[in-house]
Amino acid sequence: MMVSFALHGVGVSGGIAIGRAQLVSHATLEVSHYTIPATKIEAEVARFTTAVEEVQQELEALHEAMTSGDVPGEFGAFLDVHWMILNDPTLSEVPKKIIIEQRCNAEWALTQQLSVLVEQFEQIEDAYLRERKSDIVQVGERVLKRLLGKPGTLPAAVAEEQTILVAHDLSPADVIQFKKHHYGAFLTDVGGATSHTAIVARSLNVPAVVATHNARQLIRDSEMLIVDGHAGVVVVNPDRAVLAEYRLKQSQLELERQKLKRLRGKPAETIDGHHIELHANIELPDDLAQTLENGATGVGLFRSEFLFLNRDGLPTEDEQFEAYRAVAEGMEGHPVTIRTFDLGADKHKEGLDGLARVAPNPALGLRAVRFCLAEPRLFITQLRAILRASHYGRIRILVPMLASSSEIDQTLALIEQAKESLREQGMPFNNEIEVGGMIEIPAAVIAMDAFTAKLDFLSIGTNDLIQYTLAVDRADEAVAHLYDPLHPAVVRLLAQAIATANKAKVPIAVCGEMAGEVALTRLLLGLGLRNFSMHPAHLLSVKQRVLTSEVAALKLLVDRVRRSDSPDKIATLVEKMNAL
Ligand code: PEP
Ligand code: MG
């Protein structure tokens, strides 16, 4: 008899999923398991052999580059070790046997063998040899990458929609991999509601629950799960009655979603005639389809740093240009706000993090524009790519994490430098391109005059603004209960930022997660906000709320919110606004 139980976490992406658990460990993250028909086994073995040969060539090329270049000697030793590991039959031959015996795909065979090897190495007493475990994983992952670049034929029977991934932790880079799949939901033991992992999860538009503490220990592979991404509840091995109840809820939600679709082409206007811009936050050019489907009138935040993750090396200027141009053209004349890359903190990029070193406290370290100003060559490459793409659509530049007037000056000077270099080469770009700044550090709100004087537009990143105002790490579930958008200090900073920008007639948006929370739409409207940017999946429900709101009627309650000294009182006032 299966034991039924429930787990509670933080629901970070709404909806209900019902399916089977698949436990995920890091090395096997991208690897699915499928059965290979008998007639295709030979081809599957050949696919594995080719991948190994390609990695052999890769290592040879590295070796050659090393002998001709100025590379430290220890790098050579490291390459030799990798070469030996790759050519050892335990890695290059055993997986072939597994493919044949288990009739499974090559990726699966390789990851299985990798876990066996890693386990063996963990038993070794000699510390030096034990450490070689990471070399094995690195070599294995090189082969895995080759295999994943040339996937075999997936049989149609794999129903990803009914697979619920259960992991201890996922990085934003891991989650972005899921965009290629259609998993039903996912759960993690750790994470905070506005961590980048949660944000990307929302962008996948599947239910997700983080901070479940020990889901990965308690749940077994293939167990039946119900995930309620709104309530943050996971039911493991539900009985029939519970299952029926959730199936009903699931179909009701689907019905509501269908109804909302009718609002797609309708302009977002309040009852008393205020026009509201509803823009989308995207991570990759592929997100455009969802953006247009949900009727966004612009991209308010393109988190360009995601172009830098999950790949070898850095994207070249041309690659970046193509990505930005695709978005600019895809949005057909609507504004596209490209945020210059915001790496560091929880979004790591190997190699780049080497440059930026791992800071003792990454959230307060060399992140975002600070990193760009410290590495101007990388920054100029990106700026040139954005400027070149600005010839093909309405592109705007948005700079993250600005804290001071001098950072604005340095950024504007680098933009000018990038423009000048394009001029010299005779490359077309929009000389009048608008440059905006993100307001996500309290200092930027308190001394906002430099921002309104020097920038064309502003966008409040509430995720970071809350983190820095309350000194609560947004990715740390241990302090997730202290992370509060309705803290009086947060609400007052928001009110001040919006009022200052409106008075100076500098357009201001909110692009943090608060903008996509229907329960907060009226509060933000009441504070004077007219431009919201959010994950595309929330656009239509926020539009529905805008259409039924009257800004003038919110005034009294908003005045009381501004004077209020407790989150609870503010929450009650917000509820009253929503009941109007
Ligand atoms: C924010 O901080 O609110 C924001 C929109 O940027 P990110 O979430 O990418 O840090
Ligand atoms: Mg931010």
Side-chain angles (χ1 to χ4, degrees):
M1 168 78 193
M2 299 252 207
V3 187
S4 176
F5 60 97
L7 293 169
H8 295 259
V10 181
V12 295
S13 180
I16 289 167
I18 300 172
R20 299 269 168 198
Q22 182 174 319
L23 302 192
V24 189
S25 67
H26 210 80
T28 58
L29 201 55
E30 304 166 48
V31 176
S32 33
H33 174 206
Y34 49 90
T35 308
I36 303 291
T39 51
K40 301 259 171 70
I41 293 285
E42 213 175 299
E44 195 63 11
V45 171
R47 198 161 73 84
F48 178 77
T49 310
T50 310
V52 171
E53 283 167 4
E54 282 172 353
V55 175
Q56 278 169 340
Q57 285 159 14
E58 207 176 289
L59 292 177
E60 271 164 27
L62 280 172
H63 218 280
E64 217 159 274
M66 194 200 76
T67 41
S68 57
D70 180 22
V71 181
E74 63 270 25
F75 191 65
F78 141 89
L79 276 182
D80 288 340
V81 171
H82 279 205
W83 174 265
M84 273 159 47
I85 293 173
L86 180 65
N87 288 293
D88 194 282
T90 52
L91 203 82
S92 56
E93 294 299 324
V94 175
K96 293 187 199 168
K97 281 203 195 114
I98 299 179
I99 297 173
I100 296 166
E101 280 163 15
Q102 300 186 12
R103 291 182 45 191
C104 65
N105 52 317
E107 293 89 344
W108 189 256
L110 175 60
T111 36
Q112 268 191 306
Q113 176 62 0
L114 274 179
S115 340
V116 171
L117 291 174
V118 164
E119 217 161 283
Q120 284 172 359
F121 267 73
E122 274 167 357
Q123 314 293 332
I124 296 177
E125 286 203 0
D126 181 290
Y128 175 79
L129 280 178
R130 204 168 49 235
E131 281 312 305
R132 301 284 62 76
K133 172 184 87 182
S134 59
D135 289 305
I136 295 192
V137 172
Q138 279 173 20
V139 174
E141 285 187 346
R142 263 182 200 274
V143 180
L144 207 50
K145 265 195 195 155
R146 289 282 166 180
L147 285 170
L148 290 166
K150 295 190 192 63
T153 32
L154 270 171
V158 183
E160 287 183 336
E161 305 78 44
Q162 279 150 35
T163 299
I164 294 171
L165 295 179
V166 185
H168 174 68
D169 192 11
L170 295 167
S171 73
D174 295 333
V175 182
I176 207 103
Q177 300 273 15
F178 298 156
K179 293 207 179 201
K180 295 182 218 135
H181 303 272
H182 296 98
Y183 293 117
F186 80 84
L187 312 175
T188 61
D189 289 345
V190 299
T194 59
S195 62
H196 283 99
T197 307
I199 291 172
V200 183
R202 266 192 285 275
S203 82
L204 299 177
N205 209 8
V206 296
V209 178
V210 302
T212 56
H213 299 290
N214 45 10
R216 205 174 172 285
Q217 264 178 340
L218 297 175
I219 297 172
R220 281 169 228 279
D221 251 327
S222 304
E223 273 185 322
M224 180 65 131
L225 302 180
I226 296 173
V227 180
D228 181 338
H230 184 70
V233 172
V234 183
V235 187
V236 187
N237 296 320
D239 60 32
R240 257 201 268 165
V242 174
L243 207 56
E245 189 191 325
Y246 274 97
R247 286 209 199 283
L248 184 68
K249 270 196 200 174
Q250 209 178 20
S251 50
Q252 281 165 344
L253 281 176
E254 184 48 36
L255 213 66
E256 273 169 40
R257 254 212 340 226
Q258 293 301 335
K259 270 201 241 160
L260 277 178
K261 276 192 182 161
R262 292 188 212 134
L263 300 180
R264 184 176 170 270
K266 219 173 156 62
E269 237 179 55
T270 62
I271 293 174
D272 46 349
H274 293 278
H275 178 74
I276 310 300
E277 283 295 326
L278 298 181
H279 290 180
N281 294 353
I282 65 168
E283 275 95 38
L284 292 171
D286 285 352
D287 298 335
L288 266 196
Q290 210 194 344
T291 299
L292 295 168
E293 229 169 75
N294 289 287
T297 51
V299 168
L301 176 68
F302 177 177
R303 289 186 164 96
S304 69
E305 59 276 9
F306 281 92
L307 296 175
F308 288 67
L309 304 178
N310 294 326
R311 51 167 297 141
D312 289 332
L314 300 173
T316 61
E317 180 184 311
D318 281 348
E319 279 174 89
Q320 289 188 58
F321 161 68
E322 291 301 345
Y324 305 146
R325 185 173 76 164
V327 177
E329 288 181 341
M331 284 307 290
E332 296 165 350
H334 291 301
V336 171
T337 314
I338 300 178
R339 189 221 355 237
T340 57
F341 69 84
D342 181 356
L343 289 165
D346 63 340
K347 281 172 291 185
H348 297 295
K349 163 83 191 147
E350 272 171 45
L352 270 192
D353 285 349
L355 285 174
R357 86 203 153 76
V358 178
N361 188 340
L364 300 182
L366 202 56
R367 181 191 159 186
V369 73
R370 303 168 178 186
F371 178 65
C372 288
L373 294 176
E375 294 291 335
R377 270 203 357 221
L378 284 177
F379 197 23
I380 294 257
T381 302
Q382 180 176 37
L383 292 171
R384 279 176 51 99
I386 298 176
L387 284 163
R388 282 171 57 195
S390 72
H391 183 64
Y392 299 88
R394 266 175 70 191
I395 288 186
R396 321 192 291 172
I397 299 176
L398 179 62
V399 187
M401 294 280 296
L402 289 165
S404 67
S405 173
S406 86
E407 282 170 346
I408 301 178
D409 293 340
Q410 290 174 62
T411 305
L412 293 176
L414 286 173
I415 293 174
E416 197 41 53
Q417 205 175 312
K419 282 184 176 178
E420 192 49 41
S421 69
L422 290 175
R423 264 184 221 116
E424 277 166 16
Q425 291 173 298
M427 290 196 181
F429 64 90
N430 172 15
N431 194 37
E432 306 304 318
I433 192 163
E434 290 181 24
V435 181
M438 287 192 73
I439 303 290
E440 39 190 358
I441 299 179
V445 183
I446 296 163
M448 215 168 86
D449 25 350
F451 286 71
T452 49
K454 296 177 186 201
L455 295 165
D456 300 312
F457 67 97
L458 300 170
S459 191
I460 309 175
T462 47
N463 308 334
D464 278 315
L465 187 62
I466 298 168
Q467 149 164 282
Y468 295 126
T469 305
L470 303 178
V472 173
D473 186 334
R474 61 195 265 197
D476 184 352
E477 93 278 7
V479 285
H481 60 292
L482 300 174
Y483 188 96
D484 186 0
L486 297 184
H487 189 292
V490 173
V491 174
R492 287 180 205 178
L493 280 174
L494 273 174
Q496 186 181 332
I498 296 167
T500 311
N502 285 348
K503 194 160 166 233
K505 297 203 166 18
V506 176
I508 188 160
V510 167
C511 64
E513 297 301 289
M514 278 179 86
E517 289 256 354
V518 179
L520 302 178
T521 305
R522 287 192 177 157
L523 171 67
L524 293 170
L525 285 172
L527 291 173
L529 192 76
R530 300 291 176 262
N531 197 329
F532 295 62
S533 191
M534 68 201 76
H535 179 262
H538 299 155
L539 281 162
L540 293 177
S541 41
V542 170
K543 189 189 277 189
Q544 189 182 40
R545 186 55 62 90
V546 167
L547 293 169
T548 56
S549 298
E550 186 181 354
V551 174
L554 299 169
K555 184 165 183 329
L556 281 179
L557 287 168
V558 169
D559 286 345
R560 284 174 63 192
V561 165
R562 278 209 200 95
R563 289 194 303 270
S564 193
D565 58 3
S566 97
D568 288 347
K569 281 188 207 155
I570 295 179
T572 310
L573 290 166
V574 168
E575 269 170 33
K576 282 191 181 159
M577 286 182 202
N578 291 336
L580 283 178

